[in-house]
Amino acid sequence: MGGLTRGYFIQRLLMFFLTIWIGVSLTFAIPRLSGSDPTTAMLLTMMNARGYVENADKIIAAYKESFGLNDPIGIQYIRYLWNVIHFDYGFSFAKFPAAAWSLVTPALPWTLGLLTVASVLSFIFGVTVGSLMGWRKTPRWLNNILPVSLTFTSIPYFMFGILLISIVAFKLHWLPATGGYSRDVNPGWNAPFIKDVLAHAIMPLISIVITSMGGWALGMRGLMIGVNNEDYFLLAQAKGLSPARVFFRYGIRNAILPALTAFALGIGSLIGGSILVEYIFAYPGTGYTLYRAIQEQDYTVIQTITNLIIIITATGVLILDLLYPLIDPRITYKKSVAS
Amino acid sequence: MASDQKVLELNDLNVHYFTPRGAVIAVNHVNLYVKKGEIVGLVGESGCGKTTVAMSTLQMVSAPGRIVGGEIKIEGQNIVNLPEKELRKLRWSKLALIPQGAMNSLNPVTKIKEQMADGITAHEKISGAALRDKVLKLLNDVGLPERVYNMFPHELSGGMKQRVCIAMAVALNPAVIIADEPTSALDVIVQRVVAQTLLDVKNRLGVSMIMIGHDMGLLAQMVDRVAVMYAGNLVEVGPVGSIFEHPYHPYTQLLIDAIPSTKQKKPLKVTEGLTHDLRNPPPGCCFQFRCPFVRDACRQKPPEFKQMEPDHFVACVQYN
């Protein structure tokens, strides 16, 4: 019967928590499997900085005590889970008194804002271009133009970013080259700041959209060609329906389903996804934070971001799962099968 | 019951598929007509051009295919090269299709009611309760329960889906319905039910039909006239009784011989030899490479149609 049933909802919700639990447990286990000791690593960085550290063994012991690393692994695990629920990941190793979570939160809106818009735009453009390319009735002039829009797909997006910076920012001085906003504006909900943020976001946005829409377009083209040969598509034309209705209701409506799944799975990579773009544009997002944390071996920050990726991916999949029975009536987890 | 008024005429129809290695002649000088209230069966083996005939009648030959000659008249109006907009008005209201694949001919993501309604509303101003009543009546006419109205295609069996297709095809009471192997994907029992539904609907509404198939046994029970096609050419056309009693063309004889029988075990003869390359047909008869009675004359020039019995024509050199 399609649609959302209560059993289906509960099942999906359980799946959601199970996924997060397994993912979060893995981020707990993997650093402990690696065998390297974060406190010793910290001491080493201190030594590198100052040459000699007195009472190194006492410091290690004190650290272990305060981080709770001497407790049995089970206790550590339960305490970790408890902290994860409260978004409390402890202190950052690299920037010690700062909490790991407090290093990540300021970066979140930047990345989510930029990449959500970029992903949605590239999905919409890509799907539109791809569907038109895969449709037999597309006017010929349009079919000649469309592939041109995919030229930049073959350029890596960071290369395209560098190109944009050098031309648009340095040669033409149209847009600011790097950063999330200028230093001379006051962060907050005021017009100059918002305008400044938008100006800074344009180039990273374009470099992501232009270079990633091609993937969607090519995938969608293949899906659309497949639908073109389906009997129901033929019948829709034989019914004398308007081309627009055939295209949207019979074509895209069916062809887009696998693309939507891929899109939902890609939501998780929003957080860590465009590290290179954020790096090139010095954009203050989580990708850049993750890059720095990996460089500085800042375990707790890495853990924070990893867990965020897990939670956001799971949320994306959950939302898709809940929407799927509405867009594809064949998907339902009901046990009884209609005769 | 069949009157003399011709609702559909194919006059000297030629359809070619333009491939990089030359034009494939899929339909070659086909002349065929359907009278009002008549079912014409179009038979032939796979790849002989049956479906191409159907698709070109609907003006839906897919590229690289093109109608290169001839005319198709529906109620006297030639529809070849009609602009797309005019064609769209004509489709479904004058010419409906019952598609080949029963399993896949309905849009999987929309409800039956919507798929039946959109074909109607594209041509008629009707909505609300009137539309609903019309769709329900159509479902009822093909023997489907009312609940089908609100169901999705995957919730129906193959036979039910095909009956939905029949209900859709008769919705606007078209002049001609083209049924492209309407029962080929179904098992024999369901085939019987669907065939019966088709006949019921046809008798009640008096529509004319071209029924494509390769099952001579099934066609024999349903159609009024049979047209036999081989490699893009019509080789024999005639009333069903006359064809089964006196098949004149060797190919028709072989086809009828190939109908399985429980009384005797017959060796299958039709597979002997291969169809010629459709890109460069041989001079003379199209069946010369497989014909058991082939003579020198067959290789000279193509045979002409000759009337053997009332309304029964055959194109074979031995009768010329």
Side-chain angles (χ1 to χ4, degrees), chain B residues 215-236:
Chain B
D215 185 342
M216 285 293 264
L218 187 77
L219 283 177
Q221 302 167 43
M222 297 191 62
V223 304
D224 302 308
R225 281 193 306 134
V226 178
V228 182
M229 238 183 134
Y230 180 80
N233 297 273
L234 277 187
V235 292
E236 189 163 0

Side-chain angles (χ1 to χ4, degrees), chain A residues 91-118:
Chain A
F91 298 109
S92 156
F93 284 0
K95 304 188 171 64
F96 173 57
W101 180 244
S102 73
L103 288 177
V104 177
T105 36
L108 265 181
W110 293 104
T111 292
L112 282 182
L114 174 68
L115 282 175
T116 309
V117 175

Side-chain angles (χ1 to χ4, degrees), chain A residues 269-280:
Chain A
S269 59
L270 288 185
I271 296 294
S274 277
I275 296 179
L276 279 167
V277 166
E278 290 186 5
Y279 177 70
I280 288 165

Side-chain angles (χ1 to χ4, degrees), chain B residues 115-294:
Chain B
Q115 304 194 40
M116 292 191 62
D118 68 0
I120 299 171
T121 50
H123 300 278
E124 277 180 12
K125 276 204 171 16
I126 180 171
S127 61
L131 180 61
R132 190 189 136 88
D133 287 347
K134 180 165 182 145
V135 173
L136 284 176
K137 184 175 178 306
L138 286 166
L139 287 175
N140 189 39
D141 283 352
V142 293
L144 288 172
E146 261 189 27
R147 65 193 159 89
V148 171
Y149 183 74
N150 256 323
M151 285 172 122
F152 286 102
H154 69 278
E155 296 169 308
L156 306 178
S157 69
M160 289 167 96
K161 281 188 219 177
Q162 197 57 312
R163 277 188 280 168
V164 169
C165 286
I166 295 172
M168 277 190 339
V170 298
L172 299 174
N173 211 348
V176 185
I177 294 177
I178 293 170
D180 188 357
E181 298 188 30
T183 60
S184 64
L186 308 167
D187 66 68
V188 270
I189 309 279
V190 183
Q191 247 180 28
R192 186 75 222 153
V193 176
V194 169
Q196 199 56 53
T197 312
L198 258 179
L199 276 182
D200 280 355
V201 167
K202 182 232 143 194
N203 286 338
R204 207 173 43 241
L205 300 174
V207 292
S208 323
M209 221 180 274
I210 289 188
M211 196 161 146
I212 293 170
H214 38 226
D215 185 342
M216 285 293 264
L218 187 77
L219 283 177
Q221 302 167 43
M222 297 191 62
V223 304
D224 302 308
R225 281 193 306 134
V226 178
V228 182
M229 238 183 134
Y230 180 80
N233 297 273
L234 277 187
V235 292
E236 189 163 0
V237 186
V240 64
S242 170
I243 288 243
F244 274 85
E245 230 164 282
H246 307 288
Y248 287 98
H249 198 279
Y251 182 60
T252 318
Q253 291 167 1
L254 285 169
L255 275 182
I256 291 172
D257 252 6
I259 299 173
S261 153
T262 48
K263 300 202 179 70
Q264 59 179 123
K265 270 202 165 152
K266 304 182 281 194
L268 188 65
K269 288 184 240 158
V270 172
T271 48
E272 282 166 19
L274 284 172
T275 311
H276 61 260
D277 182 357
L278 289 174
R279 280 182 306 239
N280 37 37
C285 177
C286 62
F287 193 53
Q288 56 179 283
F289 297 117
R290 288 169 67 180
C291 184
F293 312 112
V294 65

Side-chain angles (χ1 to χ4, degrees), chain A residues 1 230 239 249-250 254, chain B residues 104 107 114-115 118 123:
Chain A
M1 233 16 70
E230 294 284 354
K239 281 203 272 190
R249 207 76 188 121
Y250 289 77
N254 280 291
Chain B
N104 213 2
N107 187 352
E114 197 187 320
Q115 304 194 40
D118 68 0
H123 300 278

